[in-house]
Amino acid sequence: MGQQNFRVGRLEQEIQREVNDILLKRVRDPRVQGVTVTGVEVTGDLQQATIYYSLLSDLASVNKKAAEGLDAATGLIRNELGSRLTIYKTPELIFKKDDSIQYGNHIDELIRQLDQQD
């Protein structure tokens, strides 16, 4: 049991590292520039990987374009991952926006504003 969890955790880290690299070097779509993978959750059966990402911009239009760009690039990203990972079957990829990062940035911004008022 512990072995499986360790393997999943290691796979999640590997996927996060590789997808960031693939986005940087292989995906030529301008819509995904500024996308950073913040976390990965792989199901216990390794069939599915949810990839959480953040963006520097909170503009709805930028977010929509990024989501479309990631959708369009999913096949390429999955193929690249398949050749880089040492697992039998590459999991299905699902991209989800990581709103916790945005929230953190928002809090930082509020704190900055408070500091400026002093």
Side-chain angles (χ1 to χ4, degrees), residues 2-17:
Q3 190 61 38
Q4 180 70 7
N5 288 347
F6 171 73
R7 196 166 146 228
V8 168
R10 212 175 53 194
L11 183 63
E12 288 170 345
Q13 288 173 343
E14 214 176 321
I15 290 174
Q16 180 171 346
R17 194 174 57 235

Side-chain angles (χ1 to χ4, degrees), residues 19-83:
V19 172
N20 270 322
D21 191 61
I22 292 164
L23 285 172
L24 209 59
K25 296 178 185 160
R26 306 284 300 154
V27 180
R28 295 275 175 262
D29 192 328
R31 294 175 295 185
V32 303
Q33 277 174 352
V35 169
T36 305
V37 177
T38 55
V40 177
E41 266 174 29
V42 176
T43 53
D45 59 6
L46 309 182
Q47 292 296 304
Q48 220 173 46
T50 304
I51 297 174
Y52 295 95
Y53 67 92
S54 72
L55 284 165
L56 294 171
S57 169
D58 21 353
L59 287 174
S61 58
V62 174
N63 280 291
K64 186 172 180 290
K65 282 196 178 111
E68 288 166 359
L70 286 169
D71 267 354
T74 298
L76 179 143
I77 293 169
R78 190 160 176 246
N79 283 342
E80 273 286 319
L81 260 185
S83 63

